Amino acid sequence: MPLQLPRSPWLTEELDDFREMARSFCQKELTPHQDRWIENKQIDREVWTKAGEIGLLCLSVPEEYGGGGGSFAHETVLYEEQARSGDSAWGVSVHNGIVAHYLLAYAAEEKKREWLPKLASGEWIGAIAMTEPGTGSDLQGITTRAVRDGDEYVINGAKTFITNGAMADFVVVACKTDPDPDAGAKGMSLIAVPTSAAGFRRGRVLDKIGLKGQDTAELFFDDVRVPVANLLGDQEGLGFFQLMQQLPQERLLIAVTAVAGMEAAVDQTIAYTHEREAFGRPLSKFQNTKFTLADAATEVAVSRAFLDQCIERHLRGDLDVQGAAMAKLWTTERANRVIDDCVQLFGGYGYMMEYPVARAWADMRISRIFGGTSEIMKDIISRTL
Ligand SMILES: Cc1cc2nc3c(=O)[nH]c(=O)nc-3n(C[C@H](O)[C@H](O)[C@H](O)COP(=O)(O)OP(=O)(O)OC[C@H]3O[C@@H](n4cnc5c(N)ncnc54)[C@H](O)[C@@H]3O)c2cc1C
């Protein structure tokens, strides 16, 4: 019998209907194409436009900017269905849950009206570029430089590990606008860069141990010029504070995917251990299998309860940086452990890429690293203790 968990308290009938639509899209447009996308190291561009047509992009952006007018609950339902469909290639959570929200919160009104409808229709694919070859966790150490020249910024630098990097049309770039070490956090700004700008270049799509259908790439900026109106915020130097405001949502959506991923893996493992036999009986009859699954089900139930609490807090607007760090730390560490136990119960088949549990194991490993590593989450949490 699949996992039986209490219904999440933030769900509504409207979200149930939305889930049906999201599930049918994921099963039809994502699941069947995984092998080809893994081979191509990227998805088909039409996925974005098809998703835009039925309203799956910019779900929690107000309708006046072309968005769905929903909330983080709608985002959550979509990422849960994506995780359950076995897809890890479509970088929609970065586009919807991160890039669109930086624009909504900090772009000038005129720019919001110009940019957000393009992201909502799928005409543009969005990316966010913070990490550089020389620095990831220590964001204040970035060296990509934006220098004001009249009505333009001139950007020079390199970014790496950028989700949606190979296909992005529009990138929010973390830059130094004041390189003086004394400026510290106030030296950083976020600037929106269309990838059609002269001097923008993409490097290779990176070879990863998981998320193999995602076009994670290097990006280069050589004297890229953008209008000063592309600065997010009404003055330079707000970038670090904007990141601190938005990172809780980014971390929460990683937690959403971690919990949905472990729920799916446990369900698959329950089914498999009832079918597969060893020594004349189903694997599910061995005490070790029962205990492993009991531990896994408990880990999932506790993670789900804590995640639901954090989602409710976020919907009310009171999820703080520490709470989001706890959600990411707990759920991603648990998901890695639980999925590893699931792989064990699949035996050799659990190591075969045609089994979803094997892909889930490889895909989930990054969750302890991106969006801030587990060590950085502990550092953030410890600051309040
Ligand atoms: C598949 C993938 C997708 C990604 N997508 C994006 C994206 O879209 N945009 C983007 O900007 N970035 C993205 N990243 C980058 C990701 O966020 C960084 O890799 C991550 O933040 C860690 O940075 P780093 O790789 O430079 O590791 P480092 O910062 O070099 O860390 C190395 C190790 O040192 C530890 N460490 C560092 N500082 C401390 C400390 N103070 N205390 C204790 N331990 C510490 C870390 O925890 C880690 O274990 C992505 C990465 C991957 C692999």
Side-chain angles (χ1 to χ4, degrees), residues 232-285:
L232 300 189
D234 53 11
Q235 63 186 79
E236 289 179 8
L238 300 178
F240 196 76
F241 305 100
Q242 293 165 342
L243 290 171
M244 291 307 111
Q245 278 175 342
Q246 297 296 320
L247 279 170
Q249 172 150 315
E250 176 172 357
R251 289 175 180 150
L252 193 55
L253 53 91
I254 294 172
V256 166
T257 303
V259 172
M262 79 176 127
E263 286 169 352
V266 172
D267 275 340
Q268 288 155 20
T269 311
I270 294 169
Y272 182 79
T273 55
H274 279 82
E275 283 160 21
R276 173 84 175 171
E277 294 202 349
F279 297 94
R281 51 192 180 140
L283 298 178
S284 59
K285 297 285 181 206

Side-chain angles (χ1 to χ4, degrees), residues 119-147:
L119 290 172
S121 67
E123 182 187 339
W124 275 2
I125 300 170
I128 174 130
M130 301 176 272
T131 308
E132 300 186 352
T135 191
S137 302
D138 177 15
L139 272 181
Q140 288 190 37
I142 61 165
T143 56
T144 295
R145 184 83 171 91
V147 179

Side-chain angles (χ1 to χ4, degrees), residues 317-328:
D318 71 0
L319 181 67
D320 56 14
V321 172
Q322 281 75 26
M326 285 179 182
K328 181 179 185 283

